[in-house]
Amino acid sequence: MSKITIWHNPRCSKSREAVKIADENGVQQEIVKYLETNPTLHDIEAILKMLGLGARELMRTKETIYKELDLKNVTQEKMLIEAMVKNPKLIERPIIIKGDKAIIGRPTSIIADFLKS
């Protein structure tokens, strides 16, 4: 099985569960603590392409910062991505990357199948 990358927030139970599932499946992982090392614009654009999603679909829309920045009224993808670069707390987690594919590990029940694919 190939190595995966997990965009991880250690304070998030779903993110911790993703690491545990990878461990249980014997998968070598690179852990990216994206709140400590902010992803770049290019990083987020690459993830969106792998996920096949628009920027808003990667955002945690219930976060206080989402409301404070009034992002619900922003329609430009680039502006939403820039908001995630500046405020990585807005990024949904965990993100599991395997090769040129990625998933958001919610619900966590989808992770094991993704790792085996």
Side-chain angles (χ1 to χ4, degrees), residues 61-74:
T61 59
K62 293 183 178 156
E63 287 291 336
T64 303
I65 190 73
Y66 182 87
K67 294 171 182 123
E68 288 172 354
L69 295 173
D70 196 28
L71 294 172
K72 71 177 180 189
N73 293 315
V74 175

Side-chain angles (χ1 to χ4, degrees), residues 72-86:
K72 71 177 180 189
N73 293 315
V74 175
T75 57
Q76 298 168 331
E77 285 284 300
K78 190 86 157 185
M79 290 179 73
L80 293 172
I81 294 168
E82 288 171 354
M84 287 187 274
V85 169
K86 292 176 185 167

